[in-house]
Amino acid sequence: MIPYQPIAAPDALLARRNPVAKVAAALVVSVALIATVDPVAPAVAIGFELAVVPLFGVRYAALARRAWPLLLSALGILCTLVLFAAERTGSLLWQAGPVEVTTGVLVTALGMSLRVIAVALPGVLVFATTDPTDLTDALVQNVKAPPRFAIGALAAFRLVPLLALEWRMLSLARRARGVDAGRNPLARLRLFGSTAFALLVGAIRRGTRLATAMDARGFDSGSPRTSARRQRFTGADAALVAGAATLAAGALAVSVALGTFRPLVG
């Protein structure tokens, strides 16, 4: 099995907080920012989130390596909305044939892109600074989640890195048997589909064996289970959640004060 390790310094101020508190703080910020589509609130939130990254014990370069798919997705959303949005309100900024870029569509696209980053970045920080075993223990002890569900999710999370390795092994095995698409895009597409199906079948088989093994070890018995490591929810953890709520409220307040607040509904 490929181990998963957090990339944060374990003695950092926020990295050592209770995993449930970190997840709750991330959810508070994310849910609050979903309420608006303007670019100001998520921009303010991103600024605060980047400012507290050192408190999690994470280097900005390491965070960038983890978050580059997020940045790529935000850029894709920005380009898609700018080029293909149906409503073209505001003054015209640039035109090339049928493509018109207006102030209204640019503000909307920028707001959506920044909101994706602002909503997802707290989650990236949480999982970059949290050991999955600690998160499972905290869910069972503090949230009273069913142990079968929590430990099953932990096992699935631990097995996720195996998918990339197994994909590579399947590709190498097919290439060794002479099954190679070469430069033919249609053949590449067919090969991709068959490899993905084989990976799915292998994942289902592994999950079935894992579920059977967990049931054999008493996870389906309903008997109370003990935890080897205690996860305590302290006042500092509650302060982290309160700080996240303050951050979300502050970002929305700045947006309202500047007159840019645009609610998602209404």
Side-chain angles (χ1 to χ4, degrees):
M1 182 181 297
I2 300 174
Y4 172 88
Q5 296 295 336
I7 61 175
D11 58 343
L13 178 63
L14 297 183
R16 62 175 184 263
R17 297 274 64 82
N18 187 291
V20 168
K22 290 190 283 187
V23 171
L27 287 176
V28 166
V29 174
S30 300
V31 171
L33 293 177
I34 290 177
T36 178
V37 295
D38 71 280
V40 174
V44 172
I46 291 172
F48 277 108
E49 291 165 5
L50 292 178
V52 300
V53 165
L55 298 180
F56 282 94
V58 179
R59 296 181 180 274
Y60 287 107
L63 179 63
R65 287 194 295 270
R66 285 289 182 94
W68 71 264
L70 173 63
L71 300 176
L72 190 62
S73 300
L75 181 61
I77 292 173
L78 177 65
C79 295
T80 301
L81 290 178
V82 167
L83 294 177
F84 303 110
E87 295 185 4
R88 302 283 170 174
T89 58
S91 57
L92 183 64
L93 297 177
W94 179 74
Q95 183 175 9
V99 178
E100 295 181 352
V101 179
T102 62
T103 54
V105 73
L106 189 60
V107 168
T108 301
L110 189 61
M112 292 293 292
S113 302
L114 292 176
R115 188 170 61 158
V116 168
I117 298 175
V119 167
L121 188 57
V124 174
L125 280 174
V126 168
F127 286 102
T129 60
T130 304
D131 184 82
T133 304
D134 292 339
L135 177 59
T136 300
D137 291 337
L139 288 174
V140 173
Q141 296 173 36
N142 303 133
V143 188
K144 306 303 179 184
R148 186 183 186 189
F149 163 77
I151 299 178
L154 169 64
F157 191 79
R158 292 284 191 184
L159 291 173
V160 165
L162 283 178
L163 295 178
L165 179 61
E166 196 163 315
W167 180 279
R168 184 171 180 272
M169 292 176 60
L170 286 171
S171 300
L172 291 176
R174 295 190 174 199
R175 187 175 300 175
R177 294 197 302 268
V179 182
D180 193 1
R183 297 184 178 181
N184 188 334
L186 295 179
R188 281 179 178 271
L189 185 61
R190 288 195 299 268
L191 188 60
F192 176 85
S194 60
T195 305
F197 181 75
L199 187 68
L200 176 63
V201 171
I204 292 175
R205 288 176 177 173
R206 187 180 296 110
T208 302
R209 290 195 299 268
L210 181 61
T212 303
M214 290 180 63
D215 288 346
R217 286 165 173 79
F219 282 94
D220 198 28
S221 63
S223 302
R225 307 181 68 87
T226 58
S227 300
R229 297 186 294 184
R230 297 294 301 170
Q231 295 287 339
R232 291 180 171 82
F233 196 94
T234 63
D237 301 314
L240 174 61
V241 179
T246 303
L247 161 63
L252 294 177
V254 171
S255 177
V256 173
L258 294 177
T260 61
F261 181 76
R262 296 170 59 192
L264 181 64
V265 179

